Structure formats: C-alpha cells, structure tokens
Amino acid sequence: MSLFKARDWWSTTLGEKEEFDQGCLCVADVDNSGSGQDKIIVGSYMGYLRIFNPHPVKPGDGVQAEDLLLEVQLREPILQVEVGKFVSGTEGLHLAVLHFRKLCVYAVSGTLGNVEHGNQYQIKLMYEHNLQRTACNMTYGPFGGVKGRDLICIQSMDGMLMLFEQESYAFGRFLPGFLLPGPLTYSSRTDSFITVSSCRQVESYKYQVLAFATDADERQETEQQKLSSGKRLAVDWVLNIGEQALDICVVSFNQAVSSVFVLGERNFFCLKDNGQIRFMKKLDYSPSCFIPYCSVKEGTINSLVGNHNKMLNVYEDVTLKWATQLPHVPVSVKVANLQDLKGVIVTVSDNGHLQCSYLGTDPSLFQAPRVDSREISYEEYDAEMKELQKIIKEATKTQDVLPKSEKHRDLIVTAEVSPDLDAESQAIDSEVKAEAVPSVTVKITIQSRVTAQKPNLVVCVQAPLAVTRDQFIFDDLEPDSSETVVVSVFLKGNCSPSELEGNCVVSYDIATGTPKVAQCSFKLPLRLICFPAQPSKAANHKLTIDTNKPPISFLTIFPDFVDPSEDDQANVLGFQFLTGSKTTLLASKTSQRYRIQSDQLEDLWLITKELILRLEEHFKKQNCKDFACTFSGSIPLQEYFELIDRHFELRLNAEKFQELLSERAVQFRAIERRLLTRFKDKTPAPLQHLDTLLEGTFREVIALADAAEENQANLFQAFTKLKSATHLVIMLISLWQKLSTDQVAILEATFLPLAEDTQELGWEETVDAAVSYLLRTCLSKSSKEQALTVSSQLCMPKDTSRLKKNITVFCDRLAKGGRLSLSTDSATQQAAIIPGGCTTIPESDLEERTVTPGSTGTFPSHGQIAKQKSKP
C-alpha cells in the first residue's frame, strides 16, 4: 500500500456520460442544519443537481441510498453552484445555480421522516433572473460593505459584469479591452473584483468605480452624453503574469495576511491586495484546479493543487509538503467537514467521479503466513540456476533482440517489383529529355498478424528517382488481414541515380499502444534508367575486372538487354542512359576479364555493380562457391578528384549567391524605407531616382534568386554523380584489397556519411574528418599520429587539397597492408595483418612529400605486398 496515495473515505459515480467542470462543485451547510457538517452540492452540464451527505460505516465504503439527500433535473446545463446569503430578510444560506441564460436561487430544506427511510429534502425556488446575455461564471460577496447579505456578480461571455442585489437587478458594466472571459472573484477586504483578461493580465476593479461608471445600457449614446452621464470604467491595478489563468481565489486567515491566489497554466502566484507579488511557484506539471484551505504556520498559507497526472500536491507557500495520488484527474477540489471529520478533501472529475479522501496512512493488518520448513536440495537449486542462466544468456544475445524469423513478426511488409516495364509509362513531371521515360510497377503487401492501429506506409526511393505516390494511410488492420497497394517508380531528375534500390516502411501501433515499425527493401531493374544501344569503341574511362572463371556470354547474364538473334552481342554490349551518356561492356575471349568503359566516371558504377551481381547470381545457381572478382588496375583518383572539385566549386558558388542575395535584400529594404518616408511626407519631395534604383535592385534580386536556384539544381546533380563515383571507388578498393564485409561497411560509413548535402554540413568536411580519424587510429604508422587531435567542430574548408591528400594517403596505407578496424590498438592490428616473423613495411615517399591536388598514384595489389618477405 503506497504511502503517497489518497485514502478513499467515500466515493461515488454521478450519472452516466455526464460532464462536470470547475464551478460544478460546492460544499456548505446548505440546509442550515446548524450541526457544522457540510453537504456536497454537485451540478452537471446535463442539468442534474445533487446534494450528498456522506455517512460511510467504514472508510472506503461506497455510496448508500441515504447519502443522496436530493437529486433534481433542472432541464438546463448548470455552469456553477454557490451557497450564500442570497435572500433578503434572512441570513440563512441559500443555493444559487447559474445556467446559461438564467440565475436561480433555491432554499434547501429537510423534513423529519416518520419511517425508516429517513428525512426528506426538497428545494424551493425563491427567485430567478432571466439573463439577456450568455453567462460564463459568477462570484458573490458583500459588495459595497453591506452587512448580513451577499450580492451576486455574473460575467457574460462578451465581457459584461451584471450585478444583482438579491431579488433585483442593480446594473451592468462592460470590462474595457475585453476579448475572452476569465476567472472572476471578489475581495471583501478591498471591495473589488479581480479577474484575468485575455491580455494575460490580472486586473482589479473597485466596486465603487463600477457603480459610478457609465451604464452598459447607455453604450449606444453619443460621446457627449456618455461623458455627462457617468465616468469611464478605470482599472484599480494591473499585473502581467504572461499566461492564461485557470482559477482565482481570495483568502484571509487569522495567522496570514489577505492574499490573492492565481493558478496559471505553468505558474502559481500569490499577490498582495495591491497587486504586488508575494511569491510565485513555477510548476513542472499541468495543473487542473486548486484551493487555499488554511494557515498552519503564522505568515504562511497552505494550498492544494491538482494536476493532470492524477496528483494532488500540498504546498505551504512555495514549499511542497505532501503529494498524493488520486484515481482520477480532478477538475475541482474543496475541503469540507463531514461526519465529525474535519479537513476531508472533496474532488470531482470531468466524467463524474466524486470522491472524499484524506491523507496519511492506514495500519496494515496483514500478517505473513508461516513458511513450511523443508529440506533444501542444493542439487535441484544448482540445476535450476544453470537453466535460468542459460535462458538469460540466450535472451541477451544481440540477434535475439529482433524477431528470429518472419513468422514471429506482428506485421510483415513485402515488395514485389514487376519483371517487365509498364506498357504505359506512369512517369509524371519528369525532367528527363529522353523521348520516353519508362516506369516499373512495385506491388506492396502488408500482412498483419495482430491488430495494427493507424498503419502508415511510406515508400522511399533515392532522388532523382520518384514514385507516383509515396505515402498511404490505412484504417486499423484486423488480425490475419492484409492490404495491397501498387506504385510506379520512374526517373524524374535529369541525372542517373547512385542506387537502384527502394525501401518500404510501415509504422503502426499495437493494442497496448506500443509503436512499432516494419520495413523491407526492393531492387529496381537496370532497364528503368537505360536501354540497349550500339557499343562504343572509344571512351575516356576504362575499368578491368578480373575473375577466376571463364567469361560468360552476355546472352546468359544480360537477357533483358541482348537480342538472341544477334550473336555479335555475346561478348560486347552497349548501354544508353536516359540522361544521354553511354557505357560499353566487353568480355574477353581469351582471358577471364571484363572491361567497362564510358565517357563519364560515374556512369561506370551501376553497370559494374550489375555485372558483378549477375555473375555472382549465375555461378550461385550452378553451385559454384569459389567464384571471386578482383581488381588489379589503378584506382581512378584523378578523375574522382575532379568530381570532388566540381561539387566543392558549386558549394562555394551557393555560399556566394547567398551572401549576394542577403546584400541585395538589405539594399532593397533600405530603398523601400526611404520611398515610404517620401510618400508619407505631407510636403511632396522629388524621389531622386529612388524608384529607378528600387526597380534595378528588384531585378538583381530576381536574377540572383534564379541563378541560386539553378546552382542548387547543378549542386544536386554533382552530389549524385559524386555518390556514384564514391560507390565505384569503394567497390574497386574492396576488390583490390579483398576486404571483408565489415571492412566494406567501414569504407561506406567513411565515404558516404550523408544522404543529403547541405551548406551547414557538407560532404567534404565530413569525409575529411572520417578519413583523418582512420589515419590516426587503425591506419596510423606511429604513436605520434595516434596522439594527434583534430578539431571537433566541422566547418566548410577553403579548398579540397587536404581532403585529396588524405584520400591518397589512405589508399597508400591500405596498399601497404593497413587493416580497417574500429579498434585503436595498433599493435593488435599489425599482428593480425603481418604473418609471424615479418616486420612492418616502411612507408613510401608518397606520404613524406606533399601531395598536389589531383595527383594519382598507381597502387600495387595486396597479393604483390604479401610476396615481400622480411629479413630474418
């Protein structure tokens, strides 16, 4: 049993599907019994008025029939209930009920019962006021210092204060600058009304000022008449609290000074009578209601504050004294004296959960049963411990964090790419200048094994590829149900993509509310971006891939690009990209080699990747497990560096365009201000060609914006080409050094860290930092390099010379036996690389001298390095 939980003394649920709010709860001796016991009065928006007098036999009992004194349906929603001296000629307490367009005052009385059913209670309407305006809330008190009676003030939704002297209407006043109604209360000490306006200010209005101000019914008169008939309504004091208020309360206890408490959305304020702040408490939760209830220590005031976390906090000024858990979110809280029990906390929720509770602890009457003594079998305990440790070990494995197989997943998403291109292309808004832009259909199926709530499917492909529709939102999926959608993928941008892959991601919630994600990937056909063409003999860039198997006819591995009737295409094949460039693929007739050649370096990537994938798939079908591809040529760093320089140049241009646009925009606004000053001047002055200067500056801004937009498009194309060339370089390095899968992953993370290129974080500085880290750790040649530190802040470099030098050194150290690893233990890496009895290979002169931008070295293969023997 938790110590910090409100003890249920008595509780009940009011009606069905009824709603309650802040003013719907009141506690008072409404029937004037004189016993000092309060009754609980509750009114709902459904129009039900209920009066309770709880008498539980023991704490925690539910409601008994005799606890409900009265239940009446008043046919109109009840906004607020209050108890006070509202009837003239008597100082007895009466009940005031506020409706939207009516104020009713009732007398509650009881008749002594002659049977076992007990007393009978009834209400009698003393008087009512029909309101001309829609009411919001009300307050009451001895306005003007009257003795022995309470007056009522009602605030309307349009900002009018309507004052009633019991059975008669007194006057009405409009609040100045009103927009939305706020909480309202009355301070008898200063005889003023206090509210919080929509300007987020606490405002105080004297009753005397309200009484002598211009009547609200005279607002239609002329200004002359208004000045002669009354004064303007002036505020007594104002305090800006900077937030909306939930409630206001004015209290005055014997041991504490009179204070005004304001509960804001994030702060709790205590003010003096003149509006000065006594103290303020910043709340780390969202409050729902509050009440100051007593003064325990001299000069302090205790308050109860409820919040939306179902907590009720007890504060002594700003000090938290106690926190207790409630079973509901309270919208109103009161403190009452019930059945000789003082200080009972009465709360009500918005759905009608009424509870009387108290703080503290209950004695625990539970006694633990005696444990039967028995002999301990250590062998059984030891076997059970080993079995549990085995289960824990299996559960903590990394591979067991994810589902072991598809059948264990709650939701499975699959994507099926059509083997043929669409008969009628679905490409829309494509920028490709080809005669026809093909598209391919992707069929996506979602199978749910559980109830999937709000599933959302997103289809992602890398630009310049695009899909006809990239997002789908489904209704809740029932168990063992499925949904199928069809999209088409096509080439939208006027450049070749760096990847022919896509992803499908489904996000959903299960019945417990836990969010989950399911995803799958799909591979797009090469025919989507290129088509067969006549091979080209001459090319600027050539690559040769070596294999350990005889060359395979292109009729076998490229059936979708080769016409079976043409035998001349068995060893040579041409690919024409939609963007205009051409790539040729040749197979040697005498050796086990394939050559890929093109005029553009980046166009070699997709054809080379497709060739290797199809060769591996072909030999896998023939159960050939020792097939391998190698690369023994030179890494095309010179051409790769040209692409880096082109991309970096466009980034510099983008920065210059941004600076020029900022300068021209400042100039344009300065000219506008001067023109505006001339036009506002009462005495006309010549424009002195300011209009001409404005028009010229405007044209410059538009021209710069167009140029910046064109540069941005060129930058995107350059980054796509750079990614393709980077993929190619990674593949060639992996084939050259025969890297493992983990080492290739490190290469990809180093050279392809960004999915998108931005001015704040670009490719050059990110790759330079990653390569420098590898050179200082796993590829370092001495402990001095490991001790070097680099700046942790990434910024755009002045040029690419340092990046190109680091990439060259990186390739050279790989050629000399360097091993890619995330471990920084250099000795361990060297021992893993070099066989026993071998010494470290000395560095070449390439690293000692400064590498000029664009320089390229021809690196030997790993096999040639392995042949070098160390001296005994």
Side-chain angles (χ1 to χ4, degrees):
M1 184 176 291
S2 173
L3 183 68
F4 297 94
K5 184 177 180 181
R7 306 299 164 186
D8 185 7
W9 184 71
W10 177 89
S11 62
T12 184
T13 301
L14 306 175
E16 294 182 1
K17 298 182 179 179
E18 295 189 41
E19 295 183 10
F20 302 82
D21 207 348
Q22 186 176 353
C24 294
L25 177 64
C26 180
V27 292
D29 187 14
V30 67
D31 60 343
N32 299 285
S33 64
S35 62
Q37 293 187 13
D38 294 329
K39 313 297 186 297
I40 302 174
I41 305 103
V42 186
S44 73
Y45 284 161
M46 302 298 290
Y48 285 95
L49 177 68
R50 298 179 178 90
I51 302 178
F52 292 93
N53 186 19
H55 286 83
V57 179
K58 59 180 180 179
D61 282 354
V63 63
Q64 304 294 325
E66 57 269 18
D67 293 343
L68 180 60
L69 302 184
L70 182 70
E71 182 176 13
V72 182
Q73 186 175 13
L74 302 180
R75 298 183 181 179
E76 294 183 16
I78 298 174
L79 299 182
Q80 192 172 344
V81 289
E82 297 290 351
V83 175
K85 303 173 183 179
F86 300 136
V87 178
S88 59
T90 176
E91 292 190 5
L93 298 178
H94 290 76
L95 175 63
V97 179
L98 179 64
H99 303 285
F100 282 109
R101 289 280 183 158
K102 186 186 295 185
L103 171 66
C104 301
V105 176
Y106 298 95
V108 180
S109 60
T111 304
L112 184 64
N114 297 323
V115 293
E116 61 182 0
H117 298 299
N119 300 337
Q120 297 179 2
Y121 286 82
Q122 61 272 346
I123 60 172
K124 179 182 178 182
L125 179 65
M126 304 303 294
Y127 62 88
E128 67 178 22
H129 293 290
N130 291 316
L131 308 178
Q132 300 299 318
R133 301 177 182 275
T134 302
C136 176
N137 51 25
M138 68 175 175
T139 187
Y140 68 95
F143 305 160
V146 296
K147 302 294 183 180
R149 56 176 181 159
D150 291 325
L151 281 61
I152 298 176
C153 176
I154 299 176
Q155 180 180 210
S156 68
M157 295 296 290
D158 57 353
M160 182 179 179
L161 297 183
M162 298 173 284
L163 284 90
F164 297 90
E165 294 184 356
Q166 297 183 338
E167 291 86 350
S168 60
Y169 171 72
F171 56 86
R173 299 290 184 265
F174 278 100
L175 296 177
F178 181 85
L179 181 62
L180 294 172
L184 177 69
T185 190
Y186 171 74
S187 174
S188 59
R189 181 180 176 87
T190 59
D191 192 26
S192 57
F193 297 94
I194 303 173
T195 184
V196 178
S197 67
S198 54
C199 299
R200 301 180 177 182
Q201 295 177 343
V202 183
E203 301 175 353
S204 175
Y205 298 93
K206 291 282 189 180
Y207 174 77
Q208 296 296 332
V209 176
L210 287 171
F212 289 103
T214 304
D215 197 288
D217 297 331
E218 301 175 1
R219 295 187 69 173
Q220 302 298 328
E221 300 179 1
T222 62
E223 190 70 23
Q224 184 77 19
Q225 292 171 329
K226 289 176 70 176
L227 292 174
S228 62
S229 60
K231 301 179 180 179
R232 295 184 61 186
L233 181 57
V235 66
D236 184 27
W237 54 262
V238 175
L239 175 67
N240 191 341
I241 60 174
E243 59 182 321
Q244 295 295 339
L246 302 179
D247 199 4
I248 300 181
C249 189
V250 177
V251 293
S252 179
F253 300 114
N254 294 331
Q255 297 182 350
V257 297
S258 177
S259 302
V260 180
F261 285 87
V262 182
L263 180 65
E265 294 173 329
R266 285 296 177 187
N267 295 281
F268 183 43
F269 302 90
C270 180
L271 315 178
K272 298 180 181 179
D273 289 333
N274 58 0
Q276 296 179 353
I277 296 181
R278 283 189 60 227
F279 62 79
M280 185 186 84
K281 172 69 175 177
K282 184 173 179 61
L283 306 177
D284 56 356
Y285 50 81
S286 178
S288 59
C289 60
F290 90 113
I291 182 173
Y293 64 93
C294 72
S295 176
V296 178
K297 189 187 300 183
E298 185 175 357
T300 64
I301 298 177
N302 285 24
S303 305
L304 294 174
V305 181
N307 60 39
H308 288 277
N309 297 328
K310 300 181 181 180
M311 295 291 294
L312 192 66
N313 297 329
V314 183
Y315 290 96
E316 183 180 85
D317 286 351
V318 296
T319 305
L320 180 64
K321 290 295 185 180
W322 193 265
T324 183
Q325 183 77 44
L326 293 174
H328 58 264
V329 177
V331 296
S332 182
V333 58
K334 303 291 181 184
V335 177
N337 298 327
L338 302 172
Q339 197 181 356
D340 299 330
L341 185 63
K342 296 183 179 181
V344 177
I345 301 172
V346 184
T347 56
V348 65
S349 67
D350 58 351
N351 57 1
H353 188 107
L354 178 65
Q355 176 172 314
C356 299
S357 53
Y358 60 94
L359 306 180
T361 60
D362 287 331
S364 177
L365 304 178
F366 173 76
Q367 292 183 356
R370 294 182 62 186
V371 180
D372 295 335
S373 59
R374 58 181 180 179
E375 294 183 0
I376 300 175
S377 176
Y378 290 101
E379 292 79 7
E380 293 180 2
Y381 283 176
D382 199 21
E384 185 180 359
M385 176 64 73
K386 290 181 179 179
E387 186 66 26
L388 292 175
Q389 288 177 345
K390 182 179 179 181
I391 295 174
I392 294 173
K393 186 176 181 180
E394 290 293 328
T396 54
K397 286 183 178 179
T398 306
Q399 57 267 28
D400 287 344
V401 174
L402 299 175
K404 295 182 180 179
S405 62
E406 293 287 338
K407 64 180 181 180
H408 293 293
R409 296 185 181 179
D410 296 333
L411 186 142
I412 300 173
V413 56
T414 56
E416 181 183 354
V417 181
S418 174
D420 301 321
L421 299 178
D422 296 338
E424 183 178 351
S425 177
Q426 302 296 318
I428 52 176
D429 300 332
S430 178
E431 302 171 1
V432 181
K433 299 177 182 179
E435 295 181 1
V437 179
S439 63
V440 66
T441 300
V442 181
K443 180 181 178 182
I444 304 168
T445 304
I446 302 174
Q447 296 177 336
S448 178
R449 303 186 183 277
V450 297
T451 301
Q453 301 175 355
K454 302 177 183 177
N456 185 8
L457 169 64
V458 178
V459 185
C460 306
V461 293
Q462 286 193 10
L465 295 174
V467 292
T468 52
R469 183 177 176 183
D470 60 351
Q471 189 170 7
F472 299 86
I473 300 177
F474 304 100
D475 296 330
D476 294 354
L477 294 179
E478 299 297 329
D480 298 326
S481 61
S482 63
E483 288 281 351
T484 302
V485 296
V486 175
V487 298
S488 292
V489 185
F490 61 93
L491 184 64
K492 186 174 183 179
N494 193 25
C495 61
S496 299
S498 60
E499 289 286 348
L500 283 175
E501 293 181 355
N503 291 298
C504 301
V505 181
V506 180
S507 58
Y508 62 97
D509 295 339
I510 58 176
T512 59
T514 305
K516 288 195 172 186
V517 174
Q519 59 183 349
C520 73
S521 59
F522 55 89
K523 185 177 182 300
L524 298 170
L526 188 62
R527 286 290 300 270
L528 189 64
I529 61 168
C530 63
F531 53 89
Q534 190 67 27
S536 176
K537 295 183 180 180
N540 296 331
H541 306 281
K542 299 177 182 180
L543 292 177
T544 301
I545 303 297
D546 299 328
T547 65
N548 58 355
K549 298 294 179 183
I552 307 300
S553 172
F554 293 151
L555 294 171
T556 304
I557 59 175
F558 283 98
D560 50 342
F561 282 89
V562 178
D563 188 357
S565 61
E566 299 183 7
D567 294 337
D568 58 342
Q569 292 186 348
N571 296 320
V572 61
L573 188 60
F575 300 89
Q576 178 73 47
F577 286 91
L578 296 179
T579 54
S581 57
K582 183 183 293 186
T583 301
T584 303
L585 179 61
L586 302 98
S588 175
K589 296 180 181 179
T590 58
S591 61
Q592 302 171 353
R593 292 182 176 182
Y594 298 87
R595 171 172 289 181
I596 309 99
Q597 58 187 30
S598 176
D599 289 336
Q600 305 293 333
L601 177 66
E602 62 274 8
D603 292 337
L604 298 174
W605 154 240
L606 287 177
I607 305 301
T608 306
K609 178 184 178 183
E610 191 74 16
L611 171 66
I612 294 177
L613 289 177
R614 295 198 182 197
L615 286 173
E616 291 176 348
E617 184 179 355
H618 171 76
F619 286 105
K620 185 177 181 181
K621 289 180 180 179
Q622 296 184 353
N623 294 325
C624 180
K625 299 181 180 179
D626 60 344
F627 172 75
C629 295
T630 57
F631 177 73
S632 57
S634 60
I635 304 295
L637 290 184
Q638 176 66 37
E639 297 83 352
Y640 182 53
F641 291 160
E642 290 177 1
L643 289 174
I644 294 177
D645 290 336
R646 172 60 179 165
H647 175 259
F648 187 73
E649 179 186 357
L650 291 172
R651 284 189 64 194
L652 292 177
N653 292 343
E655 202 172 51
K656 293 177 182 178
F657 282 128
Q658 187 174 358
E659 294 177 358
L660 290 174
L661 266 174
S662 178
E663 293 176 2
R664 293 299 181 270
V666 170
Q667 178 179 327
F668 186 78
R669 289 192 294 270
I671 299 172
E672 278 186 325
R673 284 194 295 270
R674 292 198 177 187
L675 273 176
L676 189 61
T677 304
R678 296 289 177 92
F679 290 145
K680 284 185 176 181
D681 196 355
K682 295 182 179 179
T683 57
L687 298 178
Q688 297 179 345
H689 301 289
L690 283 176
D691 54 343
T692 306
L693 187 59
L694 181 70
E695 183 179 357
T697 306
F698 175 75
R699 289 178 179 174
E700 287 185 7
V701 170
I702 296 299
L704 283 172
D706 292 340
E709 189 176 9
E710 182 182 357
N711 185 81
Q712 189 67 26
N714 294 335
L715 181 61
F716 170 75
Q717 291 189 10
F719 185 61
T720 304
K721 294 179 180 179
L722 181 59
K723 284 198 295 184
S724 297
T726 304
H727 276 294
L728 179 65
V729 170
I730 292 173
M731 173 179 280
L732 295 180
I733 292 177
S734 64
L735 295 178
W736 167 44
Q737 291 294 313
K738 299 179 182 179
L739 301 181
S740 64
T741 305
D742 293 338
Q743 292 174 322
V744 173
I746 295 175
L747 265 183
E748 291 177 347
T750 303
F751 286 92
L752 293 169
L754 302 176
E756 295 182 1
D757 197 33
T758 61
Q759 285 296 112
E760 292 78 13
L761 183 63
W763 183 87
E764 285 80 6
E765 55 265 31
T766 312
V767 173
D768 186 31
V771 174
S772 299
Y773 174 80
L774 292 179
L775 292 177
R776 288 187 300 106
T777 54
C778 60
L779 297 180
S780 62
K781 63 179 181 179
S782 63
S783 58
K784 290 184 179 180
E785 288 189 355
Q786 293 185 7
L788 292 177
T789 58
V790 294
S791 175
S792 60
Q793 184 176 4
L794 296 181
C795 56
M796 188 173 176
K798 296 181 180 180
D799 53 40
T800 59
S801 58
R802 171 186 166 85
L803 172 63
K804 291 186 288 188
K805 174 185 176 182
N806 285 339
I807 292 176
T808 305
V809 173
F810 175 83
C811 293
D812 185 66
R813 292 192 183 179
L814 280 180
K816 295 190 169 158
R819 180 172 177 265
L820 292 177
S821 173
L822 296 180
S823 172
T824 56
D825 190 354
S826 178
T828 303
Q829 294 159 11
Q830 293 293 345
I833 298 168
I834 304 174
C838 295
T839 58
T840 306
I841 300 171
E843 299 291 341
S844 67
D845 295 334
L846 178 64
E847 294 182 41
E848 303 299 332
R849 66 175 183 269
T850 303
V851 181
T852 57
S855 63
T856 308
T858 301
F859 304 105
S861 65
H862 184 70
Q864 294 172 341
I865 297 176
K867 294 179 182 177
Q868 299 180 11
K869 300 292 183 179
S870 60
K871 296 180 182 180

